[in-house]
Amino acid sequence: MIDQNTINTKMTKKIDNNCNPEDEKVKAPLKYKISEESQDQSISQLNTHCSSQMTSPLFPSSNTEASSQQNTSNNNNLILTNFTLQNILSALADKKATKCIQNWLSKEATKQDIDSFVKKLNGFYRFTMKNKNGNYLCKDLIAVCDLQQRIKILKEITKNISEDSTDQFATFPIQTLIKYSSSEEEYKLILDSFDYNSLFFASFDTNGSHVIQDIMEHIPERFRKKFNLLFLQLFCFLSCKKIGVLCAKQFCTYTKDEEMIEKIINLIKPEFLRIATSEFGHHLIQHILEVWKNTDKINKIKEEIISKS
């Protein structure tokens, strides 16, 4: 059972720490501060070629037009292949320029291009993820990365995953990393970034709760044993909260282990009335009756309902 005073204290500290969002913004190191002239030049290069691509006909009517479109694509590919880290960071200031890089990554970049791009951004993934345009770029990059490239990115950001999961921009690339994860090493890097406190705050946060739900859905249960035990300590408290109950429902949906189901039911029984009569908790009870309807242990909850009705 969680002490209410402890929870209130923690939530107060969290609110106080978030009073000034500017303090939490990740800033690029001074040696990579971009001059306005350099930034405008990088954006202009990309926008010129983006405009050329957009005005080229989708279905060229002649060989000349087809050749012209191919040359535009080749020029664009050449520019982006040779882009430096400074060029990339400059482009993040402009939505259209960032979109041009995203299109190149998704449609034209080779495996070698992607590997080079991953290396160029090394040390700047967190900065890019927390950027209003950069987070989209990171999502598209992750989608085309292979296993080793994803692991490189994860190793750089792993110590900040739990904190950044609540960020309005960084949460989306983190969710994408979780959805594309497919190896035990990736699972471990993601899960080890959460302790009791970070799991507590993420489960109450609109952005963070989506990360927690994605972990439950996309990381197999056998790898989540430690994570599940941490979440179990929060289960009853979260079940009566507007955002927390979404995580609790997802936890039940993707819990198939009989021993864990038994633990959840044993937690619910003494708290049944409080949960079932709360504004959000009754949704959880209904959900449990549905997802575990074919298990023998669900009869314990049904018996509880009958005895209290």
Side-chain angles (χ1 to χ4, degrees):
M1 190 63 144
I2 303 173
D3 180 63
Q4 185 66 44
N5 290 331
T6 303
I7 290 168
N8 290 339
T9 302
K10 287 181 177 179
M11 292 300 287
T12 302
K13 287 181 179 178
K14 179 69 174 177
I15 292 168
D16 289 344
N17 289 339
N18 286 338
C19 283
N20 185 5
E22 293 296 321
D23 294 340
E24 294 188 359
K25 287 184 180 177
V26 177
K27 295 183 170 58
L30 289 174
K31 67 177 180 177
Y32 280 103
K33 289 294 183 184
I34 314 297
S35 69
E36 288 186 12
E37 182 181 355
S38 173
Q39 187 173 8
D40 290 343
Q41 190 175 27
S42 298
I43 292 171
S44 176
Q45 270 188 309
L46 278 175
N47 283 345
T48 299
H49 285 274
C50 280
S51 298
S52 299
Q53 282 187 311
M54 290 172 68
T55 54
S56 297
L58 187 60
F59 300 104
S61 58
S62 69
N63 291 334
T64 304
E65 289 174 338
S67 175
S68 175
Q69 187 176 9
Q70 183 62 42
N71 288 337
T72 299
S73 178
N74 289 340
N75 289 337
N76 189 45
N77 193 54
L78 182 64
I79 287 175
L80 286 162
T81 301
N82 293 300
F83 244 36
T84 64
L85 173 62
Q86 186 173 359
N87 294 140
I88 297 168
L89 296 181
S90 296
L92 297 182
D94 185 84
K95 183 177 180 180
K96 187 177 176 183
T98 307
K99 187 65 179 176
C100 192
I101 300 177
Q102 290 173 244
N103 288 336
W104 172 72
L105 285 169
S106 302
K107 300 174 183 177
E108 298 180 48
T110 64
K111 188 178 185 301
Q112 186 178 356
D113 291 334
I114 295 166
D115 194 54
S116 174
F117 199 89
V118 169
K119 289 175 181 175
K120 284 174 186 175
L121 270 182
N122 186 46
F124 288 85
Y125 281 105
R126 194 176 181 217
F127 169 77
T128 308
M129 286 166 55
K130 296 184 77 131
N131 179 276
K132 68 177 180 179
N133 295 318
N135 77 93
Y136 294 107
L137 173 62
C138 284
K139 281 179 63 179
D140 284 355
L141 175 61
I142 292 162
V144 296
C145 281
D146 61 24
L147 172 61
Q148 293 307 315
Q149 290 162 347
R150 290 197 306 270
I151 288 173
K152 280 181 184 178
I153 297 171
L154 270 171
K155 283 183 175 178
E156 179 178 326
I157 67 167
T158 185
K159 65 180 180 181
N160 300 114
I161 286 179
S162 59
E163 178 186 346
D164 291 347
S165 67
T166 61
D167 182 82
Q168 62 177 324
F169 300 127
T171 186
F172 299 111
I174 292 171
Q175 289 173 43
T176 305
L177 273 169
I178 293 168
K179 289 171 184 175
Y180 277 90
S181 62
S182 61
S183 69
E184 186 172 353
E185 185 174 0
E186 288 173 286
Y187 300 150
K188 182 173 172 54
L189 286 167
I190 294 165
L191 295 171
D192 285 354
S193 67
F194 286 90
D195 58 16
Y196 176 86
N197 289 330
S198 57
L199 181 56
F200 176 90
F201 289 123
S203 298
F204 277 99
D205 182 84
T206 303
N207 298 314
S209 65
H210 288 295
V211 171
I212 302 304
Q213 291 176 68
D214 282 339
I215 286 174
M216 293 167 180
E217 180 178 355
H218 297 285
I219 297 183
E221 188 177 4
R222 68 181 183 276
F223 296 106
R224 290 191 278 113
K225 289 182 179 179
K226 181 182 174 183
F227 181 89
N228 284 354
L229 288 173
L230 285 175
F231 190 83
L232 198 63
Q233 297 176 52
L234 298 167
F235 186 83
C236 284
F237 185 75
L238 291 171
S239 65
C240 296
K241 304 299 177 183
K242 183 177 181 179
I243 296 175
V245 73
L246 300 176
C247 296
K249 287 170 69 175
Q250 190 84 327
F251 183 55
C252 294
T253 301
Y254 292 97
T255 295
K256 308 298 180 186
D257 179 71
E258 288 291 321
E259 186 179 342
M260 182 57 72
I261 292 174
E262 177 94 36
K263 287 179 179 178
I264 294 170
I265 291 174
N266 288 338
L267 271 177
I268 289 173
K269 285 194 72 176
E271 298 284 324
F272 179 79
L273 270 181
R274 182 178 69 84
I275 296 172
T277 56
S278 71
E279 183 180 0
F280 305 107
H282 73 277
H283 294 296
L284 175 65
I285 300 299
Q286 292 172 351
H287 183 72
I288 287 173
L289 291 171
E290 178 62 29
V291 297
W292 293 339
K293 62 184 177 183
N294 296 323
T295 63
D296 293 335
K297 292 183 176 63
I298 201 64
N299 290 329
K300 292 185 178 182
I301 291 185
K302 290 180 179 177
E303 290 169 6
E304 190 77 11
I305 293 172
I306 293 169
S307 67
K308 301 293 183 183
S309 62

